[in-house]
């Protein structure tokens, strides 16, 4: 892999603009190379081989000595190409400027442009790195205070006794009951002493057997008098209800084991996130320094000069090249985490801080190809079967389509992007396509077998078994989703179930991006939910053996037909309400909630029109759907995608784009508008189409909505990634358990 591609692949996406612009510098070098090639073509050397005269002249230069350059040797002044110095003056601290010492040579305008751009890029990288190091140092100080408070809380909760110099002569030895209160990995005093001996020699420890260890300094319990334990956050149903009912917690600190466990968990997560940030900073420094080295070597090669030595010497002496603050912080975090949260187990602690990289498995690619091929073969077989047996015009066609076909819309799902997985457990595109192709094979095989048994005279008598095929398909899908064994991506299964549970409990749980995103996916699965409702009615209240039911005649069924369609939009509305009132308090979330209310109203009108007909309902359905379509389309394109910015660098798009071809964005906007109008099929009374039953037409419209949601997913996440519209950070903002009251008063 060329370095340019490797450089881009190792960038932290959120810091992309802070990296060295390697491609622009490389483009300038190409201009320099092109100019020199043109010069060589216009004025070729006569009989002297290229560069041989210059090499021959060096034979007559004064010898510089074996131990280095001799004093007074003219070599430095002759070969010196650049002079790099730090700028002086107010506001220019930390800025470097390169002076090109051979401006009189022909064609050096491009060299001057190169070093000007190079200085700009280096100053950008150096200042950004300095700024980020300053932030992590401040964060390290705060985490140090949190650790002191945590250790003091451990001493308080575990009832560990210590002797200081003031009381060592009067107090008796510590009670041996301490051993019964100590918990593994937290207050096992003898083990912790081994690590703490290096810290100080101000205090002594009694390890329970009467022996004192010199040089041990425990955290002062007096710290707890100046901190407030803040382990309760409004992220769970109970804490949310307490907040809504204004039930404040106890003013006095209980110092319980529960508080200790929560504090340990929060600080553990905070340390892992902090360590991850340090690793990214270290990678940022390394890859940029390597880029400057590569580009200067390219310059030397293109220009036939020796400028890289002087410039890289300056780079090495700069802050980004010489600062060791990040490495020292990483060592301290590793030491603290291993001791306090891994029970001294170095391997366990490092595996937590540095999760193993995900391994690519060839069997996933093989199975993906196998299932995709099987899906294509099954689709072809299904089409041939339908035409060969004239199923479209056979007797019982209408009953079959109305009773069997709705189930298969359930599998035309759009898999949501995965967020929040631990490093190394996230699903890649191969795994996602493997799941989708596997489900496609499963569903198509069920359809084909069901149709074949229905039309074959030999199996036509097994009507009950034939009707149970769709139910079996649903059961298999549920088993795959809720499989307790680590067979099919267990961590992803748990993540999906957890997000779905948070959605169902809205607005009691804190809204994060995965819950928000999954709820948006559910709004595109209305027809799937209605199909599942129909099959509950069909299998439990109908006579599936004779393929008969009275679901559409039941008022209860009609009521739930509307309710199951509204639930996903109501969940999103409640999430917006929570973010408006309890979390971010941004009016935009209130407007987003009103958008979902307008969609609920339009959906209710359209459903009522489908069930009861009538011109009044038709007008109300058309009007409400038109308003909802306009509002939703505007929100999709302008708010969710961040497009249609008149004054942006890319007219009518936005400043930052991931896709180089701008026409893709305009096509996506047009497609979104067209697919948003799919609801007109029901309002205009388009029930059937050539070669399509009305149920199949409804399924086709549902698939168009899933296609629209897939397009929306890509540009929504692109905008989230580039502009941070939803205010989700590159690093998790972990709440800390201890608030220092002195800091609050100041």
């Amino acid at each position: 892999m060329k370095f340019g591609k490797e450089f881009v692949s190792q960038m932290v996406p959120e810091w992309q603009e802070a990296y060295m612009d390697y491609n622009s510098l490389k483009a300038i070098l190409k201009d320099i190379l092109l100019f020199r090639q043109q010069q060589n073509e216009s004025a070729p050397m006569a009989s002297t081989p290229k560069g041989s005269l210059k090499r021959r002249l060096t034979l007559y230069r004064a010898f510089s000595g074996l131990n280095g350059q001799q004093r007074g040797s003219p070599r430095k002044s002759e070969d010196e190409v650049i002079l790099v110095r730090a700028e002086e003056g107010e506001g220019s601290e930390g800025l470097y400027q390169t002076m090109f010492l051979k401006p009189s040579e022909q064609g050096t305008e491009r060299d001057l442009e190169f070093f000007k751009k190079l200085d700009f890029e280096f100053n950008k990288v150096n200042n950004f790195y300095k700024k980020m190091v300053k932030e992590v140092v401040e964060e390290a100080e705060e985490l140090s205070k949190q650790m002191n408070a945590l250790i003091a809380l451990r001493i308080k909760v575990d009832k560990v006794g210590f002797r200081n110099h003031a009381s060592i002569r009067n107090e008796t030895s510590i009670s041996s009951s301490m051993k019964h209160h100590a918990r593994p990995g937290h207050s096992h005093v003898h083990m912790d002493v081994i690590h703490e001996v290096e810290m100080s020699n101000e205090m002594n420890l009694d390890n329970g057997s009467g022996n004192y260890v010199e040089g041990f300094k425990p955290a002062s319990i007096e710290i707890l008098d100046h901190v407030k334990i803040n382990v309760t956050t409004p992220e769970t149903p109970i804490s949310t209800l307490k907040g809504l009912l204004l039930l404040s917690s106890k003013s006095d600190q209980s110092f319980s084991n529960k508080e200790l466990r929560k504090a340990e968990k929060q600080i553990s997560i905070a340390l892992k996130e902090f360590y991850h940030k340090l690793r990214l900073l270290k990678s940022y420094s390394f890859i940029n320094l390597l880029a400057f080295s590569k580009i200067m070597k390219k310059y030397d090669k293109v220009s036939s000069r020796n400028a890289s030595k002087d410039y890289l010497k300056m780079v090495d002496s700069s802050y980004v090249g010489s600062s060791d603050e990040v490495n020292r912080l990483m060592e301290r975090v590793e030491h603290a985490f291993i001791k306090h949260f891994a029970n001294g187990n170095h391997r366990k602690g490092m595996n937590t801080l540095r999760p193993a990289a995900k391994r690519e498995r060839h069997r996933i690619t093989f199975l993906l190809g196998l299932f995709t091929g099987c899906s294509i073969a099954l689709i072809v077989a299904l089409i041939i079967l339908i035409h060969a047996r004239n199923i479209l015009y056979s007797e019982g066609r209408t009953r079959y389509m109305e009773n069997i076909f709705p189930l298969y819309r359930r599998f035309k799902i759009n898999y949501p992007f995965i967020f929040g997985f631990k490093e190394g457990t996230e699903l890649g595109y191969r795994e996602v396509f493997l799941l989708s192709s596997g489900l496609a094979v499963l569903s198509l095989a069920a359809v084909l077998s069901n149709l074949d048994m229905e039309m074959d005279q030999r199996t036509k008598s097994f009507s009950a078994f034939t009707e149970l095929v769709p139910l079996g398909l649903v059961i298999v899908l549920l088993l795959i989703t809720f499989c307790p064994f680590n067979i099919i991506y267990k961590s992803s299964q748990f993540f999906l179930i957890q997000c779905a549970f948070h959605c169902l409990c809205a607005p009691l749980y804190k809204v994060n991006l995965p819950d928000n995103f999954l709820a948006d996916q559910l709004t595109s699965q209305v027809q799937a939910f209605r199909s599942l409702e129909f099959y509950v009615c069909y299998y439990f209240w109908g006579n599936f053996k004779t393929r008969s039911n009275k679901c559409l005649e039941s008022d209860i069924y009609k009521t739930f037909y509307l309710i199951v369609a509204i639930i996903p939009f109501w969940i999103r509305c409640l999430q917006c309400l929570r973010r408006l009132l309890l979390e971010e308090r941004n009016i935009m979330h209130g407007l987003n909630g009103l958008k979902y209310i307008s969609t609920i109203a339009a959906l209710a009108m359209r459903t009522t029109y489908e069930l009861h007909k009538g011109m009044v309902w038709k007008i109300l359905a058309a009007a409400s759907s038109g308003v909802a379509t306009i509002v939703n389309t505007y929100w999709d394109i302008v708010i969710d995608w961040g497009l249609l910015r008149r004054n942006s660098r890319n007219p009518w798009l936005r400043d930052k784009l991931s896709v180089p071809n701008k026409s893709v964005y305009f096509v996506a906007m047009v497609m979104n508008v067209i697919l948003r109008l799919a609801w007109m099929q029901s309002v205009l009374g388009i029930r059937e189409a050539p070669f399509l039953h009305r149920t199949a037409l409804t399924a086709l419209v549902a698939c168009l909505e899933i296609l629209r949601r897939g397009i929306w997913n890509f540009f929504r996440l692109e905008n989230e990634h580039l502009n941070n519209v939803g205010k989700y950070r590159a690093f998790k903002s972990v709440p800390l358990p201890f608030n220092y009251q002195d800091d609050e008063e100041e």
Side-chain angles (χ1 to χ4, degrees):
M1 182 187 291
K2 290 186 176 180
F3 177 74
K5 293 183 179 179
E6 183 182 354
F7 183 62
V8 173
S9 67
Q10 294 192 23
M11 284 183 178
V12 179
E14 290 76 15
W15 297 347
Q16 190 169 0
E17 291 187 354
Y19 281 80
M20 168 189 166
D21 193 349
Y22 186 80
N23 289 332
S24 65
L25 290 168
K26 195 174 176 182
I28 298 175
L29 290 182
K30 287 182 179 179
D31 291 340
I32 296 175
L33 179 62
L34 183 62
F35 176 79
R36 287 184 171 273
Q37 288 175 347
Q38 291 173 352
Q39 267 193 329
N40 293 336
E41 290 174 2
S42 61
M45 296 179 68
S47 59
T48 307
K50 184 178 179 181
S52 63
L53 179 60
K54 184 177 179 181
R55 286 195 299 271
R56 212 173 277 174
L57 289 174
T58 60
L59 297 175
Y60 305 103
R61 180 178 295 161
F63 184 59
S64 60
L66 296 176
N67 295 326
Q69 188 172 330
Q70 292 180 347
R71 290 188 178 181
S73 173
R75 182 176 179 181
K76 181 170 183 177
S77 60
E78 291 176 4
D79 290 351
E80 196 171 45
V81 180
I82 58 173
L83 177 64
V84 187
R85 59 185 178 84
E87 293 186 9
E88 298 179 356
E90 188 176 354
S92 61
E93 184 179 355
L95 299 180
Y96 293 88
Q97 185 176 11
T98 303
M99 182 182 297
F100 189 65
L101 300 180
K102 297 187 178 182
S104 59
E105 295 183 5
Q106 187 178 3
T108 55
E109 297 84 2
R110 293 172 181 81
D111 295 79
L112 292 170
E113 180 187 358
F114 173 79
F115 282 108
K116 183 178 179 181
K117 178 67 175 175
L118 187 67
D119 288 340
F120 174 80
E121 294 299 325
F122 179 75
N123 289 327
K124 177 181 71 175
V125 169
N126 192 49
N127 290 335
F128 177 80
Y129 184 75
K130 187 183 295 185
K131 172 190 170 187
M132 293 303 298
V133 170
K134 182 180 179 183
E135 289 181 7
V136 296
V137 168
E138 292 174 355
E139 189 173 347
E141 292 177 358
E142 177 61 31
L143 287 173
S144 299
K145 294 167 66 176
Q146 295 288 322
M147 284 300 300
N148 282 330
L150 175 65
I151 295 171
L153 182 60
R154 282 178 178 173
I155 295 172
K156 182 76 173 179
V157 171
D158 293 336
K159 298 181 175 61
V160 179
F162 296 101
R163 292 170 171 260
N164 56 26
H165 284 306
S167 58
I168 191 171
R169 298 171 183 171
N170 301 322
E171 292 182 1
T172 58
S173 62
I174 302 172
S175 172
S176 60
S177 64
M178 171 192 73
K179 296 180 181 178
H180 301 287
H181 294 288
R183 295 185 293 117
H186 299 294
S187 300
H188 197 295
V189 181
H190 182 70
M191 182 195 70
D192 281 351
V193 168
I194 298 174
H195 297 287
E196 294 287 0
V197 163
E198 63 188 19
M199 297 181 60
S200 174
N201 58 0
E202 295 178 2
M203 303 192 76
N204 301 322
L205 167 70
D206 183 352
N207 62 6
S209 60
N211 299 322
Y212 294 97
V213 179
E214 296 289 343
F216 179 76
K217 180 184 177 182
S220 174
I221 303 181
E222 295 178 356
I223 293 176
L224 298 178
D225 297 334
H226 304 284
V227 299
K228 179 182 178 182
I229 302 178
N230 184 31
V231 294
T232 304
T233 55
E235 297 183 1
T236 60
I238 296 176
S239 58
T240 300
L241 291 174
K242 284 184 177 180
L244 292 174
L245 297 175
L246 302 178
L247 297 176
S248 60
S249 58
K250 298 178 182 179
S251 58
D252 56 328
Q253 304 290 349
S254 60
F255 302 123
S256 63
N257 280 316
K258 183 179 179 181
E259 287 181 341
L260 177 59
R261 286 194 301 270
K262 288 183 177 180
E264 288 171 342
K265 182 179 179 180
Q266 287 181 329
I267 294 182
S268 173
I269 295 173
L271 283 175
K272 285 188 285 186
E273 286 299 316
F274 182 64
Y275 188 79
H276 178 58
K277 184 183 293 187
L278 293 174
R279 288 181 67 192
L280 291 183
L281 261 180
K282 184 178 180 179
S283 173
Y284 172 85
S285 170
F286 171 78
I287 198 67
N288 276 287
L289 292 175
L290 185 58
F292 282 108
S293 175
K294 291 281 186 181
I295 204 67
M296 285 306 302
K297 289 179 181 178
K298 282 182 178 292
Y299 175 80
D300 286 356
K301 183 178 179 181
V302 168
S303 64
S304 301
R305 295 190 177 101
N306 187 20
S308 61
K309 183 178 179 181
D310 292 331
Y311 199 88
L312 294 179
K313 183 178 179 181
M314 178 275 298
V315 171
D316 291 338
S317 63
S318 65
Y319 188 84
V320 68
S322 61
S323 175
D324 197 38
E325 195 70 38
V326 171
N327 287 329
R328 289 193 295 105
L329 282 174
M330 289 180 70
E331 291 176 2
R332 295 302 299 165
V333 172
E334 290 171 2
H335 175 76
F337 191 88
I338 290 169
K339 182 176 67 174
H340 292 282
F341 302 103
N343 199 18
N345 189 326
H346 185 272
R347 177 179 294 181
K348 178 182 176 182
M350 294 307 298
N351 287 340
T352 305
L353 290 174
R354 297 185 179 183
K358 189 177 181 181
R359 294 174 57 190
E360 293 291 340
R361 300 182 182 274
H362 296 294
R363 68 169 179 236
I364 293 176
T365 305
F366 169 76
L367 291 174
L368 171 59
L370 177 65
F371 287 152
T372 303
C374 291
S375 301
I376 296 172
L378 287 170
I379 291 173
V380 173
L382 187 60
I383 295 172
I384 293 174
L385 178 66
I386 290 173
H387 284 280
R389 301 202 174 186
N390 201 23
I391 293 176
L392 289 174
Y393 304 102
S394 63
E395 184 181 355
R397 158 183 177 263
T398 303
R399 256 193 325 174
Y400 182 86
M401 294 300 294
E402 289 179 351
N403 292 325
I404 299 298
F405 192 76
L407 177 64
Y408 301 113
R409 296 198 301 262
R410 174 69 183 86
F411 300 97
K412 301 286 187 179
I413 63 175
N414 180 58
Y415 296 94
F417 287 89
I418 307 302
F419 302 103
F421 277 121
K422 294 179 181 179
E423 187 177 349
T425 63
E426 69 278 359
L427 294 184
Y429 70 93
R430 289 187 182 88
E431 289 85 354
V432 173
F433 280 124
L434 177 63
L435 286 173
S436 61
S437 60
L439 287 176
V441 169
L442 190 64
S443 56
L444 287 170
V447 173
L448 194 62
S449 61
N450 184 269
L451 275 175
D452 187 66
M453 286 188 292
E454 174 66 23
M455 301 304 297
D456 196 332
Q457 295 296 329
R458 293 172 298 177
T459 58
K460 203 166 186 178
S461 58
F462 305 114
S463 57
F465 180 75
T466 304
E467 295 297 305
L468 288 174
V469 170
L471 181 61
L473 186 57
V474 174
I475 293 173
V476 170
L477 180 63
L478 292 175
L479 289 176
I480 292 174
T481 305
F482 297 98
C483 177
F485 305 106
N486 190 15
I487 300 175
I488 307 177
Y489 309 120
K490 183 178 179 181
S491 61
S492 301
Q493 288 178 328
F494 178 76
F495 181 79
L496 179 63
I497 294 170
Q498 184 184 47
C499 291
F501 181 74
H502 288 178
C503 291
L504 292 175
C505 295
L508 298 179
Y509 279 96
K510 177 179 173 62
V511 182
N512 52 35
L513 183 58
D515 302 339
N516 188 341
F517 199 78
L518 178 60
D520 277 323
Q521 309 310 306
L522 296 180
T523 60
S524 295
Q525 303 293 337
V526 170
Q527 291 301 329
F529 295 141
R530 284 177 168 175
S531 297
L532 290 177
E533 180 208 359
F534 174 78
Y535 274 87
V536 170
C537 175
Y538 180 74
Y539 282 107
F540 292 96
W541 283 280
N543 189 354
F544 65 89
K545 294 182 180 180
T546 60
R547 196 175 289 167
S548 61
N549 68 88
K550 296 182 179 180
C551 294
L552 296 176
E553 300 175 7
S554 171
D555 292 335
I556 297 176
Y557 176 83
K558 292 178 181 179
T559 302
F560 278 96
Y561 189 77
L562 175 61
I563 291 174
V564 296
I566 289 176
I567 286 175
F569 298 96
W570 181 244
I571 288 173
R572 282 296 290 122
C573 183
L574 292 177
Q575 287 179 340
C576 294
L577 187 64
R578 178 186 173 99
R579 295 181 72 179
L580 173 67
L581 299 178
L582 298 179
E583 295 178 12
E584 298 163 35
R585 304 182 188 275
N586 190 336
I587 191 62
M588 292 300 291
H589 297 306
L591 297 176
N592 198 15
L594 292 176
K595 180 196 74 173
Y596 287 106
I597 290 176
S598 71
T599 307
I600 290 173
L603 188 60
M605 295 298 176
R606 287 204 303 271
T607 304
T608 306
Y609 170 69
E610 289 178 18
L611 297 175
H612 300 289
K613 304 300 180 184
M615 183 56 65
V616 175
W617 289 116
K618 185 174 184 177
I619 294 173
L620 290 175
S624 59
S625 297
V627 172
T629 299
I630 293 172
V631 172
N632 280 275
T633 302
Y634 173 84
W635 198 276
D636 285 348
I637 297 174
V638 178
I639 307 300
D640 289 339
W641 294 358
L643 301 176
L644 292 181
R645 307 295 180 185
R646 183 185 303 177
N647 299 322
S648 68
R649 287 182 294 182
N650 304 296
W652 297 106
L653 297 176
R654 54 174 130 80
D655 291 338
K656 302 176 184 178
L657 301 175
S658 295
V659 181
N661 191 350
K662 298 177 184 178
S663 60
V664 171
Y665 293 90
F666 293 104
V667 171
M669 286 189 280
V670 174
M671 289 287 292
N672 186 74
V673 174
I674 294 174
L675 295 175
R676 276 282 185 190
L677 297 175
W679 56 267
M680 294 179 67
Q681 168 260 339
S682 61
V683 175
L684 296 178
I686 303 174
R687 294 295 177 185
E688 291 201 28
F691 306 106
L692 280 178
H693 186 269
R694 63 183 181 87
T695 311
L697 182 62
T698 304
L700 180 61
V701 172
C703 291
L704 292 177
E705 167 59 20
I706 293 175
L707 175 62
R708 186 201 67 80
R709 179 61 64 182
I711 297 172
W712 180 91
N713 287 341
F714 176 82
F715 294 103
R716 170 70 179 91
L717 289 179
E718 181 208 27
N719 188 42
E720 183 75 24
H721 170 69
L722 294 176
N723 301 316
N724 204 14
V725 169
K727 296 184 179 179
Y728 300 103
R729 302 291 189 266
F731 304 104
K732 293 180 183 179
S733 179
V734 182
L736 297 175
F738 302 106
N739 292 333
Y740 279 77
Q741 296 175 356
D742 295 342
D743 296 341
E744 292 179 357
E745 291 174 1
E746 291 177 4

